[in-house]
Amino acid sequence: STVAVFLFLYSYAVSSKIEPFYKGGKVQISKDEKYIFCTCGSRVNVLEISTGKIIHCVEHDDQEDITSFALSCDDEVQKSSRALLLKQWDWRQANCTRSWRAIHTVPVASMTFDSTSTLLATGGCDGTIKLWDVVKHYCTHNLKGSSGVVHLVQFHPNTDLLQLFSSSLDCGIRIWDLRSSQCVCVLQSHYSAVTSLSFSPDGNAMVSSGRDKICTVWDLKTRKAKRTVPVYEAVEGVVILPGSTDLAEIRVKSKDLHFITAGSKGVLRVWEASTARCVYTQTLPSTLPSASEEDENDNPRSLTYLFHLPASARLATVTAEHNILLYQLPALTTQQQFVGYSDEVLDVKFLGKGDSHIVVATNSCQLKVFELLTNSCQILYGHTDTVLTLDVFKKGSLFASCAKDRSVRVWHMDSDSGQVRCVAQGSGHTNAVGSISCSRMKASFVATGSQDCTVKVWDLPADCSAEGGIHQLTARATEKAHDKDVNSVAVSPNDKLLASGSQDRTAKLWSLTGEGTVSLLGVFRGHRRGVWAVCFSPVDQVLATTSADGTAKLWSLQDFSCLKTFEGHDASVLKVIFVSRGTQLLTSGSDGLVKLWTIKTNECVKTLDAHQDKVWGLHASRKDDKMVTGSADSNITVWSDVTEIELAEEQAKQEDQILKQQELSNLLHGKKYLKALGLAISLDQPHTVLTVIKVIQKFPYFFLLFSWIHSESVLRYCVVWNTNARNCLNAQAVLQVLLTHLPPEELLQYQGARSHLEGLIPYTERHMQRIGRLLQASMFLNYMWQKMRVAGGPSSTGQDEDMDTTPLAQAQPFFVIDKEKKSGSDERRDEGNDSDGEQDEDPDSCVEDEEELEDVSATNKASTDNGRVENGASHKTNGKHHSESEESSEEEDQEEETTVKKTKGLPVSSAQQCQTFAS
């Protein structure tokens, strides 16, 4: 038999992230064709092509934006910043191997390595070009003559020629002879900025491209233009195709020079140099409209870079939308596509078999479908304005989208190839469509809510996923639902109910059972601000809503009453979903937080913080083991359920604690105090540590046993022990060992050592003051006891009676009357030596105290005879030894302080040492 155990979700952990890695600027690909290097502000990100993940990041310490970078053939990164610094990096170790100030007076605009990686050329905004010997670390050339910014520098592939090609704002291509440091020729053909140069394999021909919509084929032997090819678009990249490869699929049928261009039209085109004819044009997806002449300059699909990867026979392009695409030769089929920057993420949903993909709506008219395994992306074109939200049908292969263009589209993913295409579309709303919900039972309809305050239900054709054209959708029902924008709609699990939430602070429940009608069943009132999201429970007859008032609520579908309110977000709650079979809620808010709630207890059991802006997208996988969030900070985070892992770790930790606790008990029972002390400290049990210290403190070599065991933790314990008068002596004993045997430098390296020492000082001073007052009180009791002893027995009127100043604990018992008195000299001699062999108080000072007390107390006047005799002797003694009594009083104060500290076990200099360390 088997037992099924249901666990609440308690924790999620980030399993993967899709975050921005390229926001414009230069892009390069490593020589082994495994990594893409691209700039992102003050960083150079290294993207692994096979996984689509950022594996390294080279970043400036000064946070200066990078103006240019270059990758050597041995994959060393050289980059320049606006601070006019050149830095050489070993990117695999994230180590800056060298940094020096560029001689340029303005930022570097372009840079490149030669094929041997020993020379580096930098083109500045001041019109100069400088060459650097990377091995010997010095500037070898300073080439002047260019006008304006040098935006292109490139070495001739034949290193024996020692030639450098450059271009600046004068639209000419300069050839520099590095032996003579002179410009030997200026190639004039373009009337606009030269954007790219490509050399033939033998190095005798070169093709240049420009934004003047022409490409020029150059004979480098004669340094003359062989042919000018009009390409009718601003070209940003040109690559000469290899002649040794069979490229018949792209209509390269001769051995003549052919090159491929990438530019403002967003397509790759193959040209034959000898005839200046375009022999092949890349086919765009059917849903991708071609750019017209008017919008060609601002075409977001225009290409900005083009690279040839000869080892893998691929081409790489970079678009103006910061997407990087890899095409396989010879057919130019799309192999991989990476999205460098997605802007704001407005919605995200799991998609595909086994939730292998996610579909993302960003602040654009395109949809992006990411494969989670490789981060490769498909871009779906169809909407003409910003896509606002998405929803997925139960099987996961169909999903629907709606946008500001007032339209609704249904998309289908092929389970084998993973390709997505639009299968149906519909329009009918008079304003932006901001919410959509798919039917739950089967793919039969979708419901939408719009800013025109209406709700529509759209019927889907039965075979909408079949091959064919795009079906046109018609609305079977339209209802004026709210007084303000409809922010959210949701279909119940049985497809019979529809809920809507609006900016008018209400949520409504509608019936979908009628033919072609939507009828109102009830209204949920209670939120103080607009309702952002509604969601049906998968198991109970309840509805969850979230609002801009910072709360989430549960409502009964029977009587429309509020059952529970969940408060915890600091701002608007934007999304809500049910997890754990309807027993828990996940909410996301404008505060960038995602919270996990247990419905039964109203308790927030986990807060997930991985975003810096509004979390618009929130969706759980069908197995409830994963969750994905999308935020306005452009980050998409995939979370995994780690409840079982954390519970197993907690259980293992508890078992380990039990074993260690048993071991500690055995060590204490076996009187192995040193091991017990270390184990108790590792278990963080201050009380057990104190118990062990009280035992080992009696040992003669206490400091050897204790001084080097977890001193940092023990110092923290001492601060707590020292606050209690009962434990202060033990704390001071441990503190004395630490301060005596540890150097100050090591002690101050402990975490919080300075604050610990500062906390010890006031309590240590307070204990010293308390013990001082206690000693003074004990001396007064000694004095009173002596007087009682003198008053209770026969007195010798001819001799002085001195007070016994031994400590109270060492005095004789009360009510014992001496039968015979010692002489004054013998008594003083006996009392002048205590148990420690130290000099005691001068009798003259005691006589002075006696005189003061007789003036204050009226009760001492009862003993008239003895008192008069003693007073008379006192006056004589005081007059005779006045100077000696002052010296004795000073010695008395010092001896009392020392006696108190030694008697009570406090270190003499603990407070002073603490004060020294703290200051």
Side-chain angles (χ1 to χ4, degrees), residues 561-583:
S561 61
C562 180
L563 302 176
K564 287 181 180 291
T565 299
F566 302 90
E567 296 180 326
H569 286 278
D570 295 332
S572 300
V573 187
L574 302 176
K575 280 292 177 68
V576 60
I577 58 174
F578 284 88
V579 292
S580 301
R581 302 178 186 175
T583 59

Side-chain angles (χ1 to χ4, degrees), residues 662 676 679 826:
Q662 183 61 45
L679 187 57
D826 293 339

Side-chain angles (χ1 to χ4, degrees), residues 628-665:
V628 62
T629 55
S631 170
D633 60 5
S634 303
N635 288 330
I636 302 167
T637 305
V638 181
W639 308 78
S640 295
D641 175 24
V642 293
T643 301
E644 293 187 10
I645 298 175
E646 290 192 357
L647 289 177
E649 291 177 352
E650 184 66 26
Q651 184 177 357
K653 185 178 179 181
Q654 290 177 359
E655 292 175 356
D656 184 59
Q657 289 286 101
I658 293 172
L659 292 175
K660 287 185 177 180
Q661 190 65 41
Q662 183 61 45
E663 183 183 357
L664 178 61
S665 301

Side-chain angles (χ1 to χ4, degrees), residues 177-426:
D177 183 5
L178 300 184
R179 290 186 177 88
S180 61
S181 299
Q182 299 294 323
C183 177
V184 296
C185 181
V186 180
L187 306 179
Q188 295 286 356
S189 172
H190 293 277
Y191 300 96
S192 183
V194 178
T195 56
S196 178
L197 301 176
S198 181
F199 295 91
S200 62
D202 57 8
N204 295 328
M206 180 184 73
V207 177
S208 63
S209 65
R211 297 193 179 103
D212 53 3
K213 301 184 179 182
I214 63 171
C215 289
T216 304
V217 182
W218 302 90
D219 185 347
L220 294 182
K221 290 183 176 180
T222 61
R223 297 170 184 167
K224 300 290 184 181
K226 294 174 61 177
R227 183 171 293 277
T228 298
V229 180
V231 295
Y232 308 108
E233 67 170 334
V235 181
E236 297 292 338
V238 61
V239 166
I240 293 179
L241 291 173
S244 59
T245 307
D246 183 11
L247 301 175
E249 288 190 49
I250 53 176
R251 300 175 186 175
V252 177
K253 299 178 181 179
S254 65
K255 297 296 182 180
D256 294 339
L257 184 68
H258 288 73
F259 60 90
I260 189 166
T261 60
S264 57
K265 290 186 177 181
V267 295
L268 298 176
R269 294 194 291 173
V270 180
W271 301 82
E272 188 177 25
S274 59
T275 61
R277 183 170 58 90
C278 178
V279 297
Y280 179 82
T281 301
Q282 185 185 19
T283 304
L284 294 174
S286 58
T287 57
L288 180 59
S290 59
S292 61
E293 293 292 335
E294 291 76 13
D295 63 358
E296 189 175 295
N297 294 330
D298 299 325
N299 181 15
R301 300 179 300 278
S302 63
L303 304 178
T304 58
Y305 287 95
L306 176 64
F307 305 97
H308 180 223
L309 310 180
S312 57
R314 290 183 295 179
L315 292 174
T317 63
V318 182
T319 71
E321 290 182 321
H322 311 123
N323 302 325
I324 301 174
L325 294 90
L326 297 176
Y327 298 101
Q328 186 67 55
L329 288 173
L332 287 183
T333 56
T334 304
Q335 188 187 49
Q336 283 179 288
Q337 183 167 254
F338 303 105
V339 176
Y341 182 65
S342 295
D343 205 355
E344 289 190 35
V345 178
L346 301 182
D347 204 359
V348 59
K349 291 287 190 295
F350 280 107
L351 183 66
K353 185 178 180 181
D355 297 321
S356 59
H357 295 68
I358 56 173
V359 56
V360 182
T362 62
N363 194 21
S364 68
C365 56
Q366 295 93 33
L367 288 171
K368 298 179 176 67
V369 178
F370 290 90
E371 185 181 4
L372 292 177
L373 188 61
T374 63
N375 279 6
S376 182
C377 176
Q378 294 180 59
I379 297 181
L380 309 180
Y381 297 91
H383 289 285
T384 58
D385 207 341
T386 303
V387 181
L388 296 176
T389 190
L390 307 161
D391 198 19
V392 182
F393 288 92
K394 185 177 181 180
K395 290 185 178 181
S397 59
L398 275 177
F399 66 96
S401 63
C402 58
K404 285 184 178 180
D405 60 5
R406 308 174 188 179
S407 70
V408 179
R409 284 182 177 262
V410 179
W411 309 78
H412 177 258
M413 169 183 275
D414 186 85
S415 58
D416 297 327
S417 64
Q419 295 298 312
V420 181
R421 61 185 182 89
C422 181
V423 295
Q425 65 175 355

Side-chain angles (χ1 to χ4, degrees), residues 513-531:
T513 55
E515 290 295 333
T517 61
V518 176
S519 57
L520 180 64
L521 297 179
V523 181
F524 304 97
R525 292 186 174 91
H527 283 293
R528 299 186 302 275
R529 299 186 68 182
V531 177

